[in-house]
Amino acid sequence: MIQLTDKPIDVNAVISAVSNSGAGAVNVFIGTIRDSARNKKVVQLEYEAYEPMAISEIQKIADEASKRWEIIGFAISHRTGILKPGEVAVAIAVSTKHRQASFEACQYIIDTLKEKVPIFKKEVFEDGAEWISALNEK
Amino acid sequence: MKFTITSYGIAKDIVGDRVVVVETNSNTVGELRSWLLKSYPSLLDLRSLFIAVNRDYAEDHISIKESDEIVLIPPVSGG
């Protein structure tokens, strides 16, 4: 299951999507919004996605993960829209026969998503807003 | 030729609209990139600017045609 949604993420649904009686492990990563960044209070984060390509890039990551580890089930739900501190931005679940693969695959998926998938977030502070990691250091 | 260009994130702020139609003699992604950097010099301030053609990251040598889905991808920050 690969989902982009502008509604609150149902983490239990993401976990259920990978459940399989052949799996001995389910690994879950939940990315949440922090209330501060670089010593400033975060008001909200605004996410947008180039949706069709975000989905195809996530699929590529899942396919590559399946080559490297024996994955039984994989599910991801990623938010778009406005999120407040404490909210869930992304939930990823991976089920495998044994636990080592589940830790490694789950980490690989979130790490690679953060490098490759066309999703963008803007941090909004009380005194302004900036797109994360967008500009060259001055 | 007329290309329809969609921009996300900070690239949309720089280009001015989610979707713009531009007229240029560019035949490749690289030529389009040069044209864009001249037309929207603030794009030079970005850490990176990838161009996707038909939903794939495209290298500069890739040819483009008017019917292609061309999207400007500034630094990604999902998760």
Side-chain angles (χ1 to χ4, degrees):
Chain A
M1 167 183 123
I2 297 176
Q3 177 193 61
L4 294 169
T5 177
D6 61 0
K7 312 264 183 306
I9 288 175
D10 180 348
V11 176
N12 285 321
V14 175
I15 294 170
S16 295
V18 308
S19 101
N20 185 300
S21 56
V26 177
N27 203 274
V28 179
F29 172 79
I30 297 171
T32 50
I33 306 298
R34 280 182 288 128
D35 60 9
S36 72
R38 298 178 296 293
N39 290 318
K40 290 202 284 184
K41 187 170 147 210
V42 168
V43 170
Q44 63 193 32
L45 256 60
E46 300 176 6
Y47 280 86
E48 64 177 33
Y50 173 20
E51 294 202 12
M53 189 176 167
I55 292 182
S56 62
E57 287 294 311
I58 291 171
Q59 185 62 63
K60 284 182 196 165
I61 293 170
D63 292 346
E64 180 61 30
S66 290
K67 286 188 196 140
R68 299 189 191 195
W69 296 279
E70 266 193 65
I71 293 175
I72 295 175
F74 160 70
I76 179 173
S77 183
H78 197 301
R79 280 294 306 273
T80 54
I82 295 175
L83 277 78
K84 304 285 185 192
E87 290 196 75
V88 174
V90 60
I92 298 173
V94 179
S95 60
T96 57
K97 206 164 162 186
H98 300 294
R99 71 186 183 283
Q100 185 68 22
S102 76
F103 284 115
E104 290 174 3
C106 197
Q107 175 153 27
Y108 169 79
I109 290 164
I110 181 61
D111 286 353
T112 312
L113 181 152
K114 287 170 85 67
E115 282 176 36
K116 297 263 175 76
V117 176
I119 297 175
F120 312 89
K121 66 186 178 229
K122 180 161 75 172
E123 242 165 16
V124 180
F125 304 104
E126 270 150 356
D127 61 353
E130 58 188 72
W131 290 99
I132 301 275
S133 301
L135 299 178
N136 284 317
E137 304 287 319
K138 298 244 181 250
Chain B
M1 296 205 281
K2 289 199 175 118
F3 298 104
T4 300
I5 301 194
T6 304
S7 303
Y8 285 92
I10 195 170
K12 171 183 173 260
D13 293 350
I14 292 170
V15 169
D17 273 307
R18 174 75 75 205
V19 182
V20 298
V21 178
V22 305
E23 185 130 24
T24 145
N25 292 326
S26 307
N27 292 304
T28 65
V29 167
E31 287 167 10
L32 179 64
R33 176 193 299 283
S34 301
W35 184 89
L36 288 165
L37 294 176
K38 286 202 197 91
S39 307
Y40 306 99
S42 295
L43 292 173
L44 288 161
D45 296 332
L46 300 186
R47 257 187 230 243
S48 63
L49 180 65
F50 285 90
I51 296 177
V53 177
N54 301 327
R55 303 176 186 177
D56 265 316
Y57 288 110
E59 291 179 19
D60 282 358
H61 67 270
I62 300 288
S63 301
I64 49 177
K65 51 191 191 304
E66 287 190 324
S67 56
D68 283 332
E69 181 173 318
I70 298 174
V71 177
L72 303 191
I73 300 188
V76 302
S77 50

